[in-house]
Amino acid sequence: MKNSPNQIVITKPDDWHLHIRDGEIMKAVLPASYRWARRAIIMPNLLSPVVTCEDARSYLSRIKACIEKTVDFEPMLTLYLTEETKAEDLVLGFREKIIKAVKLYPAGATTNSHNGVKNITKIYPILAAMSEEGIPLLIHGEVTDPYVDVFDREAVFIDKILVPMRVEYPELNIVMEHITTKQSVDYILGENSNLAATITPHHLILNRNVIFEGGIRPHYYCLPVLKREIHRQALVDVVTKGHKKFFLGTDSAPHIDDAKIDKCGCAGIFNSPFTMEILAQFFDNHNALENLENFTSLNGAEFYKLPYNKEKLSLIKSDEMIHMPEVLETKKGPITIFNPNMQIFWQIEN
Ligand code: NCD
Ligand code: ZN
């Protein structure tokens, strides 16, 4: 890493949690990621989810067809765990390097999760096989019990689901995806190196007030929902210190505006177009630019036991605020781009 007040050169980042969808939307959103990321863990929650290795193989070829040969970008696929998943299928997919990890969605927890897991003990035999094989489990860690408050669902998940699971499978490598609470941070800090977490730019920068500022703001609605300031502070603390167990997963989740602004609007924030500009500004505002690279480029690779990227990314700070467009136009309609509600002076140097 090279550091001067107005320039920073870091190892090229990776995105450890990304939704790119399929078809026209995928074509439109992919360039926003490979502009700054060299690898990305691709989420499997398509309308028809990626549940078998055959599905993953086919999705991978559709993704690759959207990326020009000259672009150096590696999509790393995940399988969507269901109560019907076959251990042999996912082990084979992992050995053949079709998939990198497996994603657990509690049924009903988020977008396209109705095929997810209802009874966690039903998938314990799968977890045993994954633990044996060293396949990471990526978790959307929220309970779906309608009697548990939506703001408490992550903390309750730790107590009710994650702690017993880790007692049963202590060797299993787990990433708690897009953590949002102090409880998650504290729990992860107290556990061994098998357990890590991704954190999104929006959960680092905003608290839940922004959803209700002057009216209801659907473009700030995502799952897990933004939390109280005290929780945001806990995330900021570990990330700006460069703590090894926390790394970038943008959870960039594009939905066309018509689907967000609806009587039942979709959850998801589309932040991939300016992830690095926003994060550089955020780390700069916290006088922590020296730890940007740990968060975006090093910690995740270490957890996944992958080499660091050889390529570099250079960011420069200008005197004038940069202008970020509000939407990305696609053949399916416009998608509103994440507005971090702060002034940005950093940009990627071409
Ligand atoms: C994601 C999506 O739209 O696929 N939405 C979101 O709010 N983050 C799903 C998810 O990661 O929960
Ligand atoms: Zn997600």
Side-chain angles (χ1 to χ4, degrees):
M1 186 181 76
K2 204 173 85 188
N3 225 340
S4 72
N6 296 319
Q7 185 185 24
I8 174 165
V9 181
I10 59 171
T11 302
K12 196 159 185 195
D14 301 304
D15 185 348
W16 301 100
H17 183 129
L18 174 65
H19 301 266
I20 54 175
R21 316 305 189 197
D22 213 341
E24 290 301 332
I25 301 285
M26 172 161 75
K27 271 187 211 155
V29 302
L30 255 174
S33 289
Y34 61 62
R35 192 172 74 89
W36 57 269
R38 214 207 57 86
R39 297 176 287 209
I41 288 274
I42 307 294
M43 288 296 132
N45 64 330
L46 303 180
L47 231 42
S48 171
V50 181
V51 291
T52 64
C53 280
E54 213 31 64
D55 297 339
R57 216 183 286 272
S58 145
Y59 189 32
L60 187 59
S61 69
R62 296 199 300 283
I63 297 170
K64 287 193 168 159
C66 289
I67 305 172
E68 282 180 42
K69 295 275 175 294
T70 52
V71 172
D72 181 26
F73 178 73
E74 189 184 335
M76 298 180 288
L77 266 55
T78 55
L79 271 200
Y80 180 119
L81 203 49
T82 73
E83 290 175 13
E84 280 74 50
T85 301
K86 301 268 180 295
E88 313 82 76
D89 186 50
L90 61 83
V91 167
L92 197 73
F94 185 71
R95 288 187 186 164
E96 291 185 357
K97 299 194 179 345
I98 305 295
I99 60 157
K100 189 98 224 146
V102 172
K103 179 75 189 279
L104 166 62
Y105 289 102
T110 188
T111 311
N112 298 337
S113 65
H114 42 276
N115 296 314
V117 173
K118 292 188 190 75
N119 177 355
I120 194 76
T121 55
K122 280 212 175 151
I123 59 150
Y124 270 20
I126 304 277
L127 300 186
M130 288 172 58
S131 178
E132 185 106 322
E133 194 70 21
I135 307 176
L137 177 70
L138 318 184
I139 300 185
H140 184 115
E142 289 191 289
V143 294
T144 54
D145 180 345
Y147 294 99
V148 174
D149 192 279
V150 69
F151 292 99
D152 299 332
R153 289 180 178 184
E154 184 173 295
V156 173
F157 184 91
I158 296 175
D159 295 342
K160 291 261 164 69
I161 311 284
L162 193 53
V163 170
M165 180 196 286
R166 295 191 67 247
V167 168
E168 204 70 31
Y169 302 105
E171 306 294 319
L172 185 61
N173 289 320
I174 295 178
V175 184
M176 287 177 73
E177 296 294 332
H178 44 52
I179 59 162
T180 61
T181 58
K182 181 168 173 4
Q183 287 95 331
S184 289
V185 169
D186 291 345
Y187 177 58
I188 290 166
L189 288 176
E191 295 295 303
N192 64 16
S193 60
N194 291 355
L195 182 68
T198 55
I199 298 182
T200 77
H202 42 280
H203 290 102
L204 278 175
I205 289 167
L206 301 171
N207 65 37
R208 65 189 189 179
N209 289 344
V210 76
I211 308 170
F212 309 108
E213 213 171 272
I216 185 89
R217 306 237 176 210
H219 295 300
Y220 291 121
Y221 172 57
C222 64
L223 287 168
V225 74
L226 295 170
K227 300 294 190 301
R228 282 175 184 274
E229 179 61 10
I230 184 183
H231 296 295
R232 188 185 75 87
Q233 289 291 344
L235 304 178
V236 171
D237 189 50
V238 283
V239 163
T240 55
K241 285 183 179 139
H243 200 289
K244 287 285 160 209
K245 293 175 121 219
F246 303 90
F247 38 88
L248 171 64
T250 62
D251 196 18
S252 182
H255 293 277
I256 56 162
D257 284 358
D258 280 353
K260 292 279 303 171
I261 308 161
D262 194 5
K263 58 184 183 298
C264 184
C266 293
I269 292 178
F270 176 50
N271 63 24
S272 59
F274 299 100
T275 303
M276 289 310 298
E277 289 82 350
I278 291 169
L279 285 176
Q281 190 67 54
F282 164 82
F283 276 79
D284 191 7
N285 293 352
H286 286 84
N287 293 317
L289 272 175
E290 73 279 8
N291 282 322
L292 174 67
E293 184 180 45
N294 283 320
F295 181 59
T296 63
S297 318
L298 307 182
N299 297 352
E302 280 169 34
F303 179 84
Y304 278 92
K305 299 185 179 64
L306 292 170
Y308 296 151
N309 293 323
K310 290 193 183 64
E311 303 76 7
K312 301 283 173 198
L313 186 82
S314 169
L315 292 138
I316 46 173
K317 188 180 188 178
S318 56
D319 297 335
E320 272 163 42
M321 232 171 75
I322 68 155
H323 168 75
M324 300 192 297
E326 282 176 20
V327 299
L328 176 80
E329 295 294 346
T330 79
K331 288 194 174 156
K332 301 281 179 186
I335 301 176
T336 292
I337 298 170
F338 174 53
N339 174 355
N341 249 353
M342 65 184 192
Q343 298 187 337
I344 309 286
F345 296 90
W346 286 90
Q347 58 188 309
I348 294 174
E349 189 182 38
N350 291 315

